[in-house]
Amino acid sequence: AGRGFDVCCLRHPGSADALEYALNAVASMMKDGARLWIFGHIQEGVLRARAAAPPLFHCVRKPFGTGDARIVEAVRTAKKPRQPAES
């Protein structure tokens, strides 16, 4: 994928289903190797993003942040995302 975005910041949507849909949507618009940052509150489930990211994204380090806010950093893989109708 030579075309697409190099970076994306995504607010954690708050549910596992919405996160899966969002990851497929942003993956379809990103270059392979592009950076993704998912941010949100621990109580809203942002830490789930680390487990939900593969295989579309590879998490590059442990979530970071202060207080109850966290950022999950990942890199886009070559895995093809599902089309919206499949989500």
Side-chain angles (χ1 to χ4, degrees):
R3 305 171 89 184
F5 293 101
D6 294 315
V7 297
C8 177
C9 294
L10 173 67
R11 172 75 164 92
H12 185 272
S15 76
D17 289 341
L19 178 59
E20 181 182 351
Y21 186 84
L23 289 172
N24 275 279
V26 298
S28 71
M29 298 181 289
M30 296 177 74
K31 294 179 183 178
D32 294 351
R35 294 279 174 169
L36 170 66
W37 291 278
I38 305 168
F39 62 96
H41 195 278
I42 290 173
Q43 292 178 357
E44 295 171 336
V46 70
L47 297 177
R48 280 183 285 194
R50 188 165 171 81
L56 298 173
F57 297 91
H58 169 73
C59 293
V60 295
R61 65 176 172 168
K62 293 167 71 173
F64 61 97
T66 59
D68 288 337
R70 290 292 180 275
I71 299 172
V72 175
E73 183 178 1
V75 175
R76 179 73 173 94
T77 67
K79 175 75 174 172
K80 184 178 177 186
R82 291 187 292 184
Q83 297 300 314
E86 298 173 28
S87 295

